[in-house]
């Protein structure tokens, strides 16, 4: 189907969604496993294909802020201000759900997560369908999120015949999730839109009280994990190992900046944007070499790195 012209591929994806089928779609963060959010049967297929527990709520993707009121009630001023600043883009807002939003989407909670994605193909699919699209990351539950169409095909193969190829995802890690449904706004999942950017629009955030927050499947331990063990190692220890690579004993290294012999691992840029862009593809390709473990060189402990550090920390947790 990638031979079809772009308009025909978009039409094919929209038609499949309208029939209640699932489609792999590109977004600027990671690829999504899309279903018509208004069709509970289609949404149930998402959980079945992912192998995801059905009480984990899904993000509803919308074309722009004018669609918010179909899904959320009330739509607070803070949501509109953030949407004006960051949509379309990698920011998800958790709001009180409007009447009629299916339980299949919200996991039975009284809130709904909403995001207007920036990828032009996803925008075209949303406008073609004319309705919200539920889309978790297009990976099997607990596995590394896909950032290329090939990753999506590797996850689901024949069980997901239509994958809309939009090239590698620009951002590379999942959206920032901001909860606006409670007394105080709180970041539930860090991402490319950082805390300081959010605070520049809605003022200072109160520290979250973890226990009182809604469920976030991304907040479960052992998420985004490769199949082999992953460990954080500081730069000095990595340097020492690479001087005497026999000491790696079958481990592969993911460096942050600098160079490495490809036989011993890979390197990612030492800026947070470049690192996030390449992270999941790097973890997939290292994991595919079936190393004894992946040694990840520690990354800077700075605000710009919050999203990357969060994903690495989860990937390092073993079930
Ligand atoms: O960048 C992204 O957000 C990607 C792309 C495809 O848009 N999507 C994504 O979806 O990461 P998923 O399902 O893998 O992660 C969605 C997260 C989960 O951790 C889920 O628990 C949380 O959003 N979530 C969804 N609805 C929620 C709600 N009502 N309250 C709190 N968290 C919610
Ligand atoms: Mg996910």
């Amino acid at each position: 189907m990638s031979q079809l012209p772009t308009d025909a591929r978009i039409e094919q994806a929209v038609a499949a969604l309208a029939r209640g089928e699932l489609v792999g779609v590109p977004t600027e963060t990671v690829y999504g496993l899309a279903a018509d959010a208004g069709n509970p049967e289609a949404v149930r297929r998402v959980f079945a294909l992912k192998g995801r527990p059905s009480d984990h709520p899904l993000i509803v993707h919308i074309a722009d802020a004018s669609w918010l009121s179909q899904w959320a009630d009330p739509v607070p001023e803070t949501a509109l201000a953030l949407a004006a600043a960051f949509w379309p883009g990698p920011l998800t807002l958790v709001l009180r759900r409007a009447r009629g939003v299916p339980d299949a989407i919200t996991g039975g909670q009284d809130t709904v997560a909403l995001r207007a994605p920036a990828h032009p193909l996803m925008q075209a699919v949303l406008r073609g369908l004319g309705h919200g699209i539920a889309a978790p990351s297009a990976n099997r539950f607990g596995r590394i999120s896909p950032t290329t169409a090939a990753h999506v095909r590797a996850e689901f193969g024949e069980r997901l015949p239509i994958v809309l190829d939009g090239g590698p995802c620009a951002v590379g890690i999942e959206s920032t999730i901001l909860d606006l449904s409670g007394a105080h706004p709180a970041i539930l999942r860090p991402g490319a839109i950082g805390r300081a950017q959010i605070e520049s629009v809605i003022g200072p955030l109160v520290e979250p009280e973890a226990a009182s927050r809604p469920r976030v499947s991304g907040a479960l331990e052992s998420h985004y994990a490769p199949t082999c063990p992953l460990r954080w190692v500081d730069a000095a220890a990595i340097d020492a190992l690479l001087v005497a690579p026999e000491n790696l004993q079958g481990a592969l290294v993911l460096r942050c900046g600098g160079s490495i012999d490809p036989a011993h691992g890979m390197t990612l840029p030492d800026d947070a944007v470049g690192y996030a862009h390449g992270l999941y593809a790097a973890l997939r390709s290292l994991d595919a070499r079936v190393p004894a473990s992946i040694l990840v060189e520690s990354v800077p402990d700075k605000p710009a790195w919050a999203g990357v550090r969060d994903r690495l920390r989860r990937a390092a947790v073993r079930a």
Side-chain angles (χ1 to χ4, degrees), residues 26-278:
T27 84
E28 76 279 32
T29 57
V30 300
Y31 274 72
L33 180 61
D36 179 346
N39 180 338
E41 263 317 303
V43 171
R44 270 189 276 279
R45 279 187 204 113
V46 171
F47 288 95
L49 188 58
K50 265 189 80 99
R52 179 172 178 157
S54 61
D55 61 345
H56 287 192
L58 301 178
I59 295 174
V60 177
H61 298 73
I62 56 180
D64 60 49
S66 72
W67 294 23
L68 272 173
S69 56
Q70 295 171 36
W71 299 95
D73 184 19
V75 178
E77 283 301 319
T78 47
L80 293 173
L82 288 162
F86 301 117
W87 281 2
L91 176 66
T92 296
L93 301 176
V94 173
L95 303 174
R96 304 222 148 251
R97 72 165 156 180
R99 247 208 298 270
V101 175
D103 279 338
I105 297 279
T106 65
Q109 302 188 72
D110 57 3
T111 57
V112 62
L114 294 154
R115 167 166 116 80
H119 196 291
L121 287 186
M122 182 62 170
Q123 276 284 332
V125 171
L126 280 162
R127 291 180 193 278
L129 188 67
H131 198 253
I133 291 178
S137 51
N139 52 283
R140 284 169 293 137
F141 183 64
R143 310 281 313 137
I144 302 168
S145 295
T147 53
T148 67
H151 294 164
V152 181
R153 291 191 204 100
E155 289 287 318
F156 300 115
E158 300 288 292
R159 286 173 300 159
L160 186 68
I162 303 179
V163 179
L164 201 51
D165 190 341
C169 300
V171 174
I173 59 172
E174 301 82 352
S175 59
T176 305
I177 301 181
L178 181 71
D179 184 2
L180 293 176
S181 71
H184 305 290
I187 293 174
L188 302 183
R189 180 175 73 183
I193 306 284
R195 178 179 180 134
Q197 283 172 282
I198 291 168
E199 290 182 330
S200 75
V201 177
I202 61 169
L205 299 180
V206 177
E207 289 301 329
E209 296 139 67
S212 66
R213 310 311 319 176
R215 294 179 295 263
V216 184
S217 86
L220 290 176
E221 298 300 89
S222 192
H223 208 66
Y224 314 108
T227 47
C228 76
L230 184 146
R231 286 196 285 133
W232 286 67
V233 182
D234 67 38
I238 295 277
D239 285 339
L241 278 168
L242 290 176
V243 169
E246 62 278 9
N247 291 336
L248 285 171
Q249 299 192 317
L252 289 170
V253 174
L254 182 59
R255 296 215 69 169
C256 177
S259 61
I260 186 167
D261 178 341
H264 303 314
M266 297 177 65
T267 184
L268 285 171
D270 60 3
D271 69 278
V273 170
Y275 193 104
H277 174 73

Side-chain angles (χ1 to χ4, degrees), residues 1-6 9 12 149 153 161-166:
M1 69 159 280
S2 54
Q3 268 82 321
L4 292 173
T6 304
R9 292 161 56 216
Q12 184 188 40
R153 291 191 204 100
I162 303 179
V163 179
L164 201 51
D165 190 341

